[in-house]
Amino acid sequence: MKQEGSLARTHEQEPGLPRGRASLPADAVRAAQRERLIRAIIAASAESGYLRVTVADVVSRAKVSRAAFYAHFADKDECLLAATRYGRRVLIDRITAETGALPRETAPAEALRVACRAFLGFLTGEPEFTRVFYLEFPSAGPRALARLVEAQRRFARLNEVWHQRARAADPRVPAVPQEAYLAAVGATTELVRAAVHSGQARLTDLEDTLVRLHLAILGGRPWDHEEA
């Protein structure tokens, strides 16, 4: 499987971390080991399927020792949890950075479109992480399920922030219950998962659908309403 995303860049063709006089400070070594392991489990899970991945596969891709793996993680589930948490944080940072850079007078619908474009752009640029998060992660057991629920609530919070700002800018935007924010996230998740599973649709083609979906659920607009 060709590696395309930075979150799945591994070190199989590179030397291990330097030792002896050329070695890095202990803290830097630990940080580098953890980063290598996180990227390695994403790459391995995307290629082989998480249930087939072993700790040996991960350390081989990361070019670190098995002892180093267990110094960071109790098992491969914990490693995957760390990897998906890291990727989710990078994704949210990208969305907030791109929407935060917009002028204050930007219309709510346009800000929503920028957020959706940033979201889909990240997923497109990180195909291995996207496959792992949407298709492989649920197989990692009860802890993964709890983490997925947490992730949904984090994205729902982004929807809530957008909705509050939209209502402040446009009195026509209606109040909605808290469940609406989560409902929009759930619908988005299923659309993305279906696209990733099919392997045929381009995620960026979902942009218009996601914008209209959120405006319908949170903005009180008919599906065919033209954006303001």
Side-chain angles (χ1 to χ4, degrees), residues 156 159 177-189 213-214 217-218:
N159 283 340
Q178 286 288 322
E179 292 81 2
Y181 305 128
L182 197 57
V185 174
T188 297
T189 298
L213 171 74
H214 283 74
I217 296 175
L218 305 178

Side-chain angles (χ1 to χ4, degrees), residues 17-26 29:
L17 295 169
R19 300 181 179 182
R21 291 187 176 182
S23 64
L24 300 170
V29 169

Side-chain angles (χ1 to χ4, degrees), residues 11 15-38 62-65 67-73:
H11 301 266
L17 295 169
R19 300 181 179 182
R21 291 187 176 182
S23 64
L24 300 170
D27 288 348
V29 169
R30 284 185 57 81
Q33 289 173 340
R34 186 178 181 86
E35 180 180 336
R36 285 181 174 222
L37 291 166
I38 282 174
K63 295 297 289 286
V64 303
S65 68
F69 177 92
Y70 286 109
H72 290 275
F73 306 110

Side-chain angles (χ1 to χ4, degrees), residues 15-59:
L17 295 169
R19 300 181 179 182
R21 291 187 176 182
S23 64
L24 300 170
D27 288 348
V29 169
R30 284 185 57 81
Q33 289 173 340
R34 186 178 181 86
E35 180 180 336
R36 285 181 174 222
L37 291 166
I38 282 174
R39 295 177 190 277
I41 199 165
I42 291 173
S45 298
E47 181 175 330
S48 303
Y50 176 69
L51 293 179
R52 297 186 182 91
V53 172
T54 66
V55 171
D57 296 329
V58 176
V59 299

Side-chain angles (χ1 to χ4, degrees), residues 15 20 41 72 88 92 108 131 154 161 166 175-176 200 207 209 220:
I41 199 165
H72 290 275
R88 185 192 71 193
I92 290 176
R131 180 172 185 81
R154 289 290 301 275
V161 169
V176 299
Q200 298 174 354
E207 183 180 312
T209 299

Side-chain angles (χ1 to χ4, degrees), residues 73-124:
F73 306 110
D75 52 34
K76 70 169 190 172
D77 287 355
E78 190 173 295
C79 184
L80 185 66
L81 287 168
T84 53
R85 181 173 58 245
Y86 175 74
R88 185 192 71 193
R89 185 168 63 246
V90 175
L91 168 56
I92 290 176
D93 286 348
R94 175 164 173 176
I95 295 171
T96 55
E98 296 199 17
T99 55
L102 294 172
R104 292 179 61 86
E105 63 273 15
T106 301
E110 178 58 24
L112 176 62
R113 179 169 292 278
V114 169
C116 290
R117 187 173 297 157
F119 170 71
L120 294 171
F122 176 89
L123 297 183
T124 299

